[in-house]
Amino acid sequence: MKTSFHQFIGLGLILFGLVVASCAGKSAPTQFYMLGPVMSDEVESHPANSTSTVYITLDTVEIPEYLNRPHIVTHVDRAEYQIDEFHRWMEPLQDNLTRVIANHLSVLLNPKGIDILYTARPVKTEYTIVVQILRMEGKLGQGMFLDARWSFFDQQDETPVVTKRFVRIQEFTSDDTYQGLLQTQNRSIESLCRAMADGIDQI
């Protein structure tokens, strides 16, 4: 009897271990995301004459340290934030933002004969753009808040020709998913780039 009882207990522990292992193997897969261009069809890129093109350097976009992580950070309430283990950026957010902003500005300013460079190239540039993301916070299914500062520098004397602040509250038009969050972030970044292009065009 004792042997049978011990065998029964042992079999129960084995089955329990198999159930736990099975549940552990069914954890949600990690999803990866990237910001991307969502320029309206009304903006058309016209190649400028290469001999008269003005090249401008875009420095790596600065972001707050709390966003400088592979996990996507969402704003929950007041001072509460959430770091999601299973929803992450495909590449460092700084690199993604820098490339997207450079591409947006190139499309918007290309008809003016201006091209934006964001990587080291053997091209002489006379001006530099510095972008600082002060806050970029979104609540799933609710809204998006973007607070940024950008400066346009003359490389000869390293003084800012212009410095402006951009603040925008963007309402969700999608759903309460991370895809909806990124769509709203993309629209906010596009609005920032349009404001920057207008400011640069007036210099």
Side-chain angles (χ1 to χ4, degrees), residues 47-68:
N49 188 338
S50 60
T51 59
S52 60
T53 300
V54 176
Y55 294 98
I56 299 175
T57 299
L58 172 65
D59 279 357
T60 300
V61 174
E62 300 176 26
I63 63 174
E65 193 59 31
Y66 75 93
L67 294 176
N68 188 24

Side-chain angles (χ1 to χ4, degrees), residues 21-29:
S22 175
C23 293
K26 293 181 179 179
S27 60

Side-chain angles (χ1 to χ4, degrees), residues 2-3 5 15 21 37 56-57 69 76 83 86 93 102 110 112 116 119 122 160 201:
K2 290 183 179 181
T3 303
F5 178 76
L15 291 174
I56 299 175
T57 299
R69 61 183 69 247
V76 179
I83 299 174
F86 300 106
L93 182 57
N110 186 260
K112 307 291 184 181
I116 308 297
T119 56
D201 190 34

Side-chain angles (χ1 to χ4, degrees), residues 1 13 16 20 25 44 53 68 93 103 107 111 172 180 189 192 200:
M1 293 291 293
L13 291 174
F16 178 76
V20 171
E44 296 182 2
T53 300
N68 188 24
L93 182 57
N103 289 341
V107 170
F172 278 123
I189 295 299
L192 166 63
I200 293 172

Side-chain angles (χ1 to χ4, degrees), residues 72-77 81 135-146 168-178 180-188:
I72 294 180
V73 179
T74 54
H75 187 201
V76 179
D77 185 34
Y81 294 80
R135 290 175 62 187
M136 190 173 74
E137 301 172 356
K139 292 184 178 181
L140 293 177
Q142 295 188 37
M144 175 75 195
F145 179 77
L146 177 64
R168 183 179 181 85
I169 299 176
Q170 180 80 48
E171 295 296 330
F172 278 123
T173 58
S174 183
D175 48 40
D176 60 353
T177 65
Y178 280 87
L181 172 65
L182 260 72
Q183 289 174 10
T184 307
Q185 288 178 328
N186 281 329
R187 289 193 296 271
S188 298

Side-chain angles (χ1 to χ4, degrees), residues 54-166:
V54 176
Y55 294 98
I56 299 175
T57 299
L58 172 65
D59 279 357
T60 300
V61 174
E62 300 176 26
I63 63 174
E65 193 59 31
Y66 75 93
L67 294 176
N68 188 24
R69 61 183 69 247
H71 310 82
I72 294 180
V73 179
T74 54
H75 187 201
V76 179
D77 185 34
R78 295 187 179 181
E80 183 180 355
Y81 294 80
Q82 178 175 308
I83 299 174
D84 199 298
E85 180 67 27
F86 300 106
H87 294 87
R88 304 188 179 199
W89 297 110
M90 188 67 179
E91 65 177 347
L93 182 57
Q94 279 186 301
D95 296 341
N96 194 183
L97 277 170
T98 302
R99 185 178 64 258
V100 169
I101 291 176
N103 289 341
H104 278 339
L105 291 177
S106 291
V107 170
L108 291 166
L109 295 172
N110 186 260
K112 307 291 184 181
I114 299 174
D115 196 9
I116 308 297
L117 306 179
Y118 62 95
T119 56
R121 298 181 185 177
V123 177
K124 182 179 180 181
T125 60
E126 300 177 0
Y127 304 97
T128 299
I129 302 174
V130 175
V131 179
Q132 298 171 297
I133 303 296
L134 305 177
R135 290 175 62 187
M136 190 173 74
E137 301 172 356
K139 292 184 178 181
L140 293 177
Q142 295 188 37
M144 175 75 195
F145 179 77
L146 177 64
D147 183 4
R149 179 170 55 231
W150 65 275
S151 300
F152 188 78
F153 284 85
D154 187 332
Q155 292 185 358
Q156 291 186 349
D157 52 15
E158 298 184 351
T159 57
V161 178
V162 63
T163 296
K164 292 189 176 184
R165 189 82 171 262
F166 176 88

